[in-house]
């Protein structure tokens, strides 16, 4: 039975990192292309735009190793919008326009010069003062000013007075850092105002934003520097244990992410204040929050920091119920998607279902030509994806299989009634035809792109991870009518 015959299909969304949008200055931003993408989604009957974390990119340009859980990356600020507000004297010239990957260092260097010009032209007002009064804004600006003064080295390598500033602010005169501190606060204010304007515009079109937050934070972050009591660190500020997962589908040695492990006893003792603040702020920035690695709230893989891989470690229980009781009492309107992938014990599902969070199914992990095509059929309160930012594109995944496997899957799709279009379109239709309440398609899968459009390969660091972007808006313009047709045929429009 195909989508047009189904009565239970609900909503559809598209996954696209903000950085992957085509833009005139080398990286996707919150300007005209983002607004046009929201219009294209609305025109196709797509209700959700899922993004990747917007926090300042840390090690390896990964959005999952951010400098802060609250700050946004100024990389995504629209220079054209600054010019429109009169903060730039002339229209910014194109920079690396039409590229198919993000050259982070070059783009960041180009944009920072113009951001500083806009900063010099900026006059703070009441809105800026209200934003800057938030508890995280000034400490983050100090953190980044110190990082600049230390050639971006991690905070635990700074001079003692800077390293210990959160606990003893009076011990250091900040006057030499004043301009950098004010610049960082300005950049965060502009990021926030541009993002909220983009979100309001998308919402006005009927498109909701699904934000993505990592369960862990990076060691080189405001979160750890100013809240090291919340993490298992030694006296030098180095992690005693790090996060990751044991050997799995992605890696024979497991994944050693390197993020410090929470001191859950300490977090519980102060009522989970860090997590409450983090989730409440995410609820302001996004309509729906997807929490990466949800299983870590039930049990987490605790790797001794001295181990070079994730093979050694132990599963340790986390206080998931106590945490979410506190979070949802403080922020009752949150809508949460739980990334519940992998080999999980039943207690993870029980935790997810206790709070009514939607879980996830990945088509690439469930489709087997030797079995019936039943993706997403077991529980409608799910989100079905063809793949995520950690997967191959659906076309790349199919083309990487053995010939006999591909032939058998083609035959099974034909028997199920999927005749029209290339195989990756049929697989997208299969996901949309599932009983799941929500289906999210990465834009690369909507466009039938191969693995040149892959976002990230887990267990690896550096290029080409996180670098893929669209060269021109015309590519999306051509693809979205087809997406709209698939959405309408599935009954999700």
């Amino acid at each position: 039975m195909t989508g047009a015959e189904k009565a239970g299909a609900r909503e559809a969304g598209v996954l696209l990192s903000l950085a992957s949008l085509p833009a005139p200055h080398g990286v996707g931003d919150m300007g005209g292309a983002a607004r046009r993408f929201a219009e294209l989604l609305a025109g196709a009957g797509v209700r959700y735009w899922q993004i990747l974390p917007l926090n300042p990119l840390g090690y390896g340009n990964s959005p999952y190793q951010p400098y802060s859980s609250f700050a946004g990356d100024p990389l995504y600020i629209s220079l054209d919008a600054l010019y429109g507000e009169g903060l730039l004297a002339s229209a910014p010239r194109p920079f690396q326009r039409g590229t198919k990957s993000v050259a982070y260092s070059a783009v960041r260097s180009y944009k920072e010069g113009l951001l500083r010009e806009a900063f010099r032209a900026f006059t703070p007002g009441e809105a800026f003062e209200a934003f800057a009064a938030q508890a995280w804004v000034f400490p983050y600006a100090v953190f980044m000013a110190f990082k600049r003064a230390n050639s971006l080295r991690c905070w635990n390598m700074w001079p003692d007075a800077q390293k210990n500033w959160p606990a003893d602010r009076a011990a250091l005169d900040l006057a030499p850092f004043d301009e950098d501190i004010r610049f960082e606060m300005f950049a965060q204010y502009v990021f926030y105002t541009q993002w909220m304007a983009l979100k309001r515009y998308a919402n006005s079109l009927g498109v909701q934003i699904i934000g993505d937050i990592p369960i862990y934070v990076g060691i080189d972050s405001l979160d750890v520097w100013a809240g090291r009591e919340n993490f298992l660190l030694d006296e030098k500020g180095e992690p005693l244990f790090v996060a990751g997962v044991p050997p799995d589908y992605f890696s024979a040695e497991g994944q050693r992410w390197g993020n410090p492990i929470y001191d859950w006893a300490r977090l519980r003792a102060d009522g989970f204040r860090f997590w409450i603040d983090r989730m409440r702020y995410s609820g302001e920035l996004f309509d729906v929050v997807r929490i990466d690695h949800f299983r870590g709230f039930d049990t987490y893989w605790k790797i001794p920091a001295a181990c070079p891989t994730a093979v050694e470690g132990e599963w340790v229980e986390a206080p998931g119920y106590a945490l979410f009781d506190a979070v949802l009492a403080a922020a009752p309107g949150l809508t949460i998607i739980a990334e519940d992938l992998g080999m999980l014990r039943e207690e993870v599902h029980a935790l997810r279902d206790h709070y009514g969070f939607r879980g996830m199914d990945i088509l690439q992990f469930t489709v087997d030509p030797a079995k019936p095509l039943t993706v997403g059929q077991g529980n409608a309160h799910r989100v079905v994806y063809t793949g995520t930012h950690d997967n191959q594109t659906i076309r790349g995944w199919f083309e990487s299989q053995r010939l006999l496997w591909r032939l058998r899957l083609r035959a099974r799709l034909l028997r199920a009634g999927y005749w029209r279009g290339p195989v990756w379109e049929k697989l997208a239709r299969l996901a949309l035809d599932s009983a799941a309440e929500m289906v999210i398609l990465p834009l690369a899968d909507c466009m039938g792109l191969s693995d040149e459009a892959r976002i990230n390969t887990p267990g690896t660091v550096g290029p080409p991870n996180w670098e893929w972007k669209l060269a021109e808006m015309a590519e999306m313009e051509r693809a979205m009518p087809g997406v709209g047709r698939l959405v309408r045929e599935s009954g999700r429009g």
Side-chain angles (χ1 to χ4, degrees):
M1 181 181 298
T2 56
E5 302 169 286
K6 283 187 175 289
R10 305 283 181 82
E11 299 166 334
V14 170
L15 168 62
L16 180 67
S17 167
L18 196 64
S20 296
L21 282 164
H25 305 115
V27 64
D29 61 34
M30 296 178 283
R35 291 187 171 227
R36 180 57 183 148
F37 183 58
E39 294 167 357
L40 291 171
L41 292 176
V46 173
R47 186 174 178 186
Y48 294 97
W49 175 8
Q50 180 173 329
I51 60 172
L52 298 185
L54 296 173
N55 310 111
L57 302 178
Y59 180 66
N61 292 313
S62 170
Y64 295 91
Q65 293 279 355
Y67 288 152
S68 167
S69 293
F70 297 86
D73 199 319
L75 193 73
Y76 306 129
I77 290 174
S78 167
L79 298 178
D80 290 335
L82 293 179
Y83 173 65
E85 294 171 20
L87 294 177
L88 295 177
S90 58
R93 61 178 176 81
F95 181 80
Q96 296 194 356
R97 184 170 191 161
T99 57
K100 295 184 178 181
S101 64
V102 180
Y104 283 101
S105 294
V107 172
R108 198 176 292 280
S109 177
Y110 168 75
K111 295 190 79 168
E112 183 172 333
L114 291 169
L115 288 174
R116 287 193 177 268
E117 177 187 334
F119 163 62
R120 290 189 290 271
F122 176 70
T123 302
E126 290 184 6
F128 171 81
E129 297 299 337
F131 172 82
Q134 295 178 95
W136 64 268
V137 177
F138 181 70
Y140 177 74
V142 174
F143 174 77
M144 290 304 299
F146 287 172
K147 280 193 71 66
R148 292 177 187 277
N150 288 278
S151 303
L152 300 183
R153 290 194 299 272
C154 184
W155 63 266
N156 54 26
M157 301 174 66
W158 298 349
D160 286 346
Q162 296 175 13
K163 181 190 301 184
N164 298 321
W165 181 85
D168 188 8
R169 298 189 179 191
L172 185 65
D173 179 11
L174 294 181
F177 306 97
D178 180 66
E179 183 171 354
D180 273 345
I181 291 171
R182 290 187 294 108
F183 169 71
E184 294 293 345
M185 294 173 72
F186 159 78
Q188 288 305 309
Y189 173 69
V190 172
F191 175 93
Y192 175 81
T193 55
Q194 288 196 4
W195 171 253
M196 294 306 292
L198 175 59
K199 179 182 179 295
R200 285 192 299 270
Y201 184 70
N203 289 169
S204 75
L205 300 172
V207 176
Q208 295 192 325
I209 305 295
I210 302 176
D212 194 336
I213 67 169
I215 182 173
Y216 294 113
V217 301
I219 180 66
D220 190 15
S221 67
L222 170 68
D223 306 299
V224 182
W225 176 61
R228 60 197 87 169
E229 68 278 3
N230 294 326
F231 303 88
L232 298 178
L233 309 176
D234 65 18
E235 66 280 358
K236 296 180 180 179
E238 297 285 350
L240 293 167
F241 301 91
V242 296
V245 291
D248 61 8
Y249 171 89
F250 289 111
S251 173
E253 293 187 337
Q255 298 176 46
R256 186 188 185 281
W257 300 329
N259 308 75
I261 294 290
Y262 292 110
D263 185 341
W264 283 112
R266 172 65 179 76
L267 287 167
R268 186 199 285 265
D270 79 346
F272 302 103
R273 181 173 56 85
F274 170 75
W275 270 100
I276 288 172
D277 292 345
R278 190 182 188 199
M279 294 297 291
R280 183 185 282 138
Y281 194 60
S282 295
E284 179 182 350
L285 297 180
F286 313 119
D287 300 296
V288 180
V289 177
R290 191 198 83 117
I291 303 179
D292 192 61
H293 195 61
F294 180 79
R295 78 149 301 153
F297 296 111
D298 170 67
T299 48
Y300 57 94
W301 190 241
K302 186 179 180 182
I303 307 166
C307 297
T309 72
V311 172
E312 297 181 46
E314 61 175 333
W315 287 112
V316 181
E317 289 193 358
Y321 288 95
L323 169 67
F324 284 110
D325 282 348
V327 166
L328 295 176
L334 281 175
T335 301
I336 291 174
I337 296 172
E339 189 266 284
D340 56 348
L341 304 175
M343 300 295 292
L344 308 178
R345 66 178 196 157
E346 283 303 313
E347 287 84 349
V348 181
H349 302 147
L351 177 65
R352 176 201 66 207
D353 294 343
H354 179 79
Y355 297 100
F357 301 157
R358 285 191 178 101
M360 291 173 52
D361 290 309
I362 308 300
L363 184 144
Q364 293 183 33
F365 297 160
T366 57
V367 166
D368 183 343
K371 300 177 182 178
L373 300 175
T374 56
V375 60
Q377 300 300 320
N379 180 358
H381 195 57
R382 305 286 289 170
V383 185
V384 166
Y385 294 76
T386 48
T388 73
H389 60 275
D390 282 333
N391 292 98
Q392 294 176 267
T393 66
I394 198 68
R395 177 181 171 182
W397 170 76
F398 176 79
E399 291 176 344
S400 68
Q401 307 298 324
R402 295 192 304 265
L403 176 61
L404 180 59
W405 190 99
R406 298 200 306 270
L407 292 173
R408 292 174 67 186
L409 180 58
R410 285 182 182 274
R412 186 166 286 280
L413 287 166
L414 289 173
R415 289 197 300 272
Y418 295 99
W419 296 84
R420 187 180 64 214
V423 70
W424 44 92
E425 180 179 311
K426 295 174 184 176
L427 290 168
R429 291 177 59 202
L430 175 65
L432 289 165
D433 283 348
S434 73
E437 293 173 346
M438 187 185 297
V439 172
I440 305 292
L441 304 177
L443 183 67
D445 291 352
C446 298
M447 299 174 65
L449 301 178
S450 195
D451 278 347
E452 76 275 4
R454 183 170 187 168
I455 299 296
N456 178 54
T457 300
T460 66
V461 177
N465 289 342
W466 315 112
E467 293 182 352
W468 175 74
K469 66 179 287 291
L470 288 161
E472 300 292 343
M473 180 60 67
E475 299 176 76
M476 286 196 297
E477 300 270 4
R478 290 192 295 268
M480 291 310 292
V483 175
R485 173 176 54 80
L486 296 179
V487 168
R488 288 191 299 273
E489 290 176 354
S490 68
R492 295 178 183 269

